[in-house]
Amino acid sequence: MCELYVRADPIFYESRTRSLRIHGVVTTIRLENMFWDILTEIAAADGMTVNQLITKLSDEILELRGELPNMASFLRVSCLRYLDRERRVPSGSSSAVSQTIALRRVG
């Protein structure tokens, strides 16, 4: 079983830092490449760029919770929740685009 994990291409767990603007404020986020890939998939399914998706998620979590102490951790958990939901939706039941949902609508 461990071979599945240890043989992963190191590029997947290499970190990449991106700078983006959220309402005019420059924010730097460091995530592993695999998480950036998942965020790209989520954004594309919703017809957005990754920056637009992150801004939307930031707005929604701030509206819901009032604060966001760790954006990178929040984004990692969001990616895992997305993958978990994708795993639970039976294939063929609807298109991938209609299966993608905004964070505020996730259980």
Side-chain angles (χ1 to χ4, degrees):
M1 177 183 96
C2 291
E3 196 167 310
L4 170 71
Y5 305 111
V6 300
R7 292 201 179 270
D9 187 336
I11 195 75
F12 290 138
Y13 52 85
E14 183 177 288
S15 293
R16 186 173 356 141
T17 302
R18 290 190 184 179
S19 293
L20 59 129
R21 289 187 185 273
I22 298 178
H23 303 297
V25 177
V26 176
T27 303
T28 302
I29 301 170
R30 184 174 185 85
L31 294 172
E32 294 74 17
N33 287 323
M34 186 169 257
F35 287 108
W36 286 117
D37 292 345
I38 296 166
L39 289 170
T40 300
E41 180 181 329
I42 297 168
D46 282 342
M48 293 187 257
T49 66
V50 172
N51 289 5
Q52 290 170 329
L53 173 67
I54 291 171
T55 298
K56 180 175 177 144
L57 291 171
S58 175
D59 289 347
E60 291 183 9
I61 194 70
L62 288 173
E63 181 181 326
L64 181 67
R65 303 271 185 234
E67 66 176 343
L68 180 55
N70 190 327
M71 175 67 90
S73 292
F74 169 71
L75 292 173
R76 285 185 191 96
V77 169
S78 297
C79 289
L80 294 173
R81 288 179 60 109
Y82 168 79
L83 292 176
D84 185 56
R85 185 174 196 296
E86 288 295 297
R87 184 186 69 199
R88 292 172 192 247
V89 174
S91 61
S93 64
S94 61
S95 72
V97 172
S98 65
Q99 293 173 13
T100 304
I101 57 175
L103 180 65
R104 69 177 163 198
R105 292 179 278 180
V106 175

